[in-house]
Amino acid sequence: AQRVTQPEKLLSVFKGAPVELKCNYSYSGSPELFWYVQYSRQRLQLLLRHISRESIKGFTADLNKGETSFHLKKPFAQEEDSAMYYCAPPYNNAGNMLTFGGGTRLMVKP
Amino acid sequence: DTGVSQNPRHKITKRGQNVTFRCDPISEHNRLYWYRQTLGQGPEFLTYFQNEAQLEKSRLLSDRFSAERPKGSFSTLEIQRTEQGDSAMYLCASSLEQGGKNGYTFGSGTRLTVV
């Protein structure tokens, strides 16, 4: 299985501060990566896909193949962004499933 | 269709007992996935179905674990002779596209506690 590393278990910022949640992966092919989010007492849900190059809730993520990174960024954090965030690259080269990082808990303080 | 449904929500069992969980995916999704999540960890892949065919199994899926999707609709995950290490949240997800290109839809999970 591919490896994915989210080095920060907890990231605490003040409202309005920039946020960067780090993700590094090991994948030899051309990956399709995702960020998933889990708000308190809710199901895990898709936040964004790198292939769509979209911005969701102000978050963006840039795939850096050279550094094998897919960091999630937001210029101005909001309290409602507080949640668990999981980076998810493909599980293996077949690309049929995803593997998930250990997650980063983002706490946005007022 | 209200999304992916998992039953039961919680299960407490004694060590050595067998347990079975059920997952009802979104009806038009032909791909179904089982994951396990322990405290402080991300979801770990267990197994994957495309329609009724079980196409991938991880090494985490020991011979005490078995999963089925008999008619390509709902799926069951059975754990035989449960151990305390099996205590976890068991998540089911479904998708329409390979690899979940448009995203997995997750259920709320079944929390298993083995005492």
Side-chain angles (χ1 to χ4, degrees):
Chain A
Q2 308 295 335
R3 293 191 310 277
V4 54
T5 303
Q6 293 182 248
E8 302 127 336
K9 285 285 189 184
L10 173 65
L11 186 61
S12 182
V13 301
F14 285 102
K15 177 182 173 181
V19 168
E20 183 180 52
L21 289 81
K22 293 184 169 60
C23 171
N24 289 90
Y25 63 92
S26 66
Y27 189 76
S28 57
S30 181
E32 294 183 21
L33 291 108
F34 304 80
W35 277 96
Y36 279 75
V37 61
Q38 187 167 26
Y39 301 102
S40 180
R41 298 188 181 87
Q42 294 188 27
R43 304 178 183 199
L44 199 55
Q45 59 186 280
L46 176 67
L47 178 63
L48 59 77
R49 307 165 292 167
H50 99 274
I51 196 169
S52 62
R53 298 186 178 277
E54 57 201 347
S55 173
I56 302 292
K57 300 184 179 182
F59 284 97
T60 58
D62 292 323
L63 177 61
N64 186 322
K65 291 185 181 180
E67 295 181 357
T68 59
S69 68
F70 188 53
H71 303 330
L72 184 68
K73 300 177 183 179
K74 184 169 183 176
F76 308 104
Q78 302 300 314
E79 289 182 68
E80 56 265 30
D81 296 328
S82 296
M84 283 293 297
Y85 291 82
Y86 296 95
C87 179
Y91 178 76
N92 56 22
N93 289 339
N96 290 320
M97 307 81 62
L98 300 177
T99 189
F100 289 82
T104 297
R105 177 170 297 282
L106 174 64
M107 292 180 58
V108 182
K109 297 176 287 188
Chain B
D1 195 332
T2 56
V4 178
S5 176
Q6 290 189 247
N7 289 288
R9 293 292 301 273
H10 304 275
K11 178 70 177 179
I12 300 174
T13 191
K14 291 183 179 179
R15 190 174 53 189
Q17 297 293 306
N18 299 345
V19 294
T20 300
F21 311 141
R22 177 178 170 125
C23 171
D24 288 88
I26 292 175
S27 56
E28 59 265 30
H29 285 183
N30 59 351
R31 291 169 169 84
L32 185 146
Y33 315 83
W34 284 99
Y35 284 80
R36 182 176 72 183
Q37 186 173 23
T38 53
L39 197 62
Q41 302 296 320
E44 297 172 293
F45 169 71
L46 292 178
T47 191
Y48 155 64
F49 289 86
Q50 184 172 326
N51 299 311
E52 67 275 9
Q54 187 175 19
L55 298 185
E56 298 247 16
K57 293 192 291 186
S58 84
R59 287 176 294 175
L60 292 175
L61 213 67
S62 75
D63 55 5
R64 295 186 298 105
F65 288 69
S66 63
E68 295 182 341
R69 195 182 183 198
K71 297 182 180 178
S73 56
F74 73 91
S75 175
T76 58
L77 178 68
E78 180 183 17
I79 309 174
Q80 296 182 327
R81 305 181 302 282
T82 52
E83 302 173 356
Q84 287 190 322
D86 297 331
S87 295
M89 177 73 85
Y90 289 84
L91 297 170
C92 177
S94 67
S95 74
L96 189 56
E97 301 290 337
Q98 179 181 0
K101 289 184 180 182
N102 288 316
Y104 289 177
T105 301
F106 277 91
S108 296
T110 294
R111 181 170 297 283
L112 172 66
T113 302
V114 181
V115 297

